[in-house]
Amino acid sequence: MGAAACGSESIVRKPFGKTPEGQAVELYCLTNRNGMQASIMTYGGIVVSLTAPDRDGRYADVVLGFDRLEDYLAGHPYFGALIGRYGNRIAKGRFTLDGTPYTLAVNDGENHLHGGIRGFDKAVWQARGAIEKTGLEVALAYASADGEEGYPGNLAVKVVYTLTDSNELKIEYSATTDKPTPVNLTNHSYFNLAGQDSGDILGHELAIAADRFTPVDKGLIPSGELRPVAGTPFDFRQPTAIGARIEQADEQLQFGGGYDHNFVLNRRQEGALELAASVYEPKSGRLMEVFTTEPGIQFYSGNFLDGTNVGKGGKVYNRRNGLCLETQHFPDSPNKPAFPAVILRPGREYSTTTVYRFSAQ
Ligand code: GLA
């Protein structure tokens, strides 16, 4: 039985196996009034499945992943996972904060990626499901210890997923700390709006509300420049097929093996929930709109997928079979004083919101 088969109740909680350390993992299956379903597990806070209607009202699972916990435990490229303590890269796993140098776990060449060797994507989160006026909610909590993966401070993290009757998956992230620390939380879902088993995403039409992006070096660390997208393959200000320019001779596309870049979102009001990106899949008519309070979004075109992951229903995920739109602060911000600040201090609360809204045209 696939993970998306959840039953008819609004919130169903079921056992989803055990970690090698013997920790029980649960799967929360949410079904809204329209029949849209989201299933989220306590291991990694992973969105295991998410259905969305096409223009004829037919639901399909639009996120990559696996049917069984074992496949997630065996290793995977962050399918559906919560990412922390710091999403994306920190150069050489090093930064200095209030004059003190810190060294983080290095897990991506010479750099630190997505929180390190055992990031929040591999933690078992405490969970509570509830039916609220705003929708069906799964509240997840995780206590990240002082020194975990090299980060300073005990960080209390909370992530609330809400499935609304407007076919939105809302993700609210919050955190507090007892020592200053960088924090940058996101979700790493891989979307394929034709359905998770439908091949590449090159025909998806993407729009990103960004006049600028952050170019990177070979190791995908931003140079610090905020470069205009105008006249480059990074101009998604009008909806454009992802495949239209991905093979162009362009140094930035070469470094990423395709798109793997942070976009600087145009903001009307800093910290407000605004439309950041939209993706339209012409065959099914499915549309996904991404709203966020964050200043940036990482558009990753699934370049590292290489057929080694056998996903739901036995589907082999090949190169560019899914795309990620990871709302975030800019990569390597702890080493880039000109980028928006990412340091959380005791007495302050980290709080961000991202909404993925699904419809069809
Ligand atoms: C992010 C990174 C990519 C890659 C994926 C996971 O999107 O920017 O380079 O590491 O995560 O495979």
Side-chain angles (χ1 to χ4, degrees), residues 54-56 192-194 200-206 239-242 279-288 360-361:
D54 69 6
R55 63 168 75 84
D56 299 317
N192 187 324
L193 298 184
D200 73 60
I201 46 76
L202 297 175
H204 285 48
E205 293 162 14
L206 172 68
T240 308
I242 290 168
V279 191
Y280 179 68
E281 199 286 302
K283 286 195 206 105
S284 63
R286 289 193 186 91
L287 173 70
M288 178 176 83
Q361 295 181 349

Side-chain angles (χ1 to χ4, degrees), residues 77-78 88-89 113-114 188 190 220 260 298 300 304 326:
Y78 305 95
N88 214 280
R89 293 174 178 78
L113 175 68
H114 292 330
H188 208 301
Y190 287 69
L220 300 181
D260 192 352
Q298 184 85 8
Y300 170 56
F304 295 128
E326 304 151 58

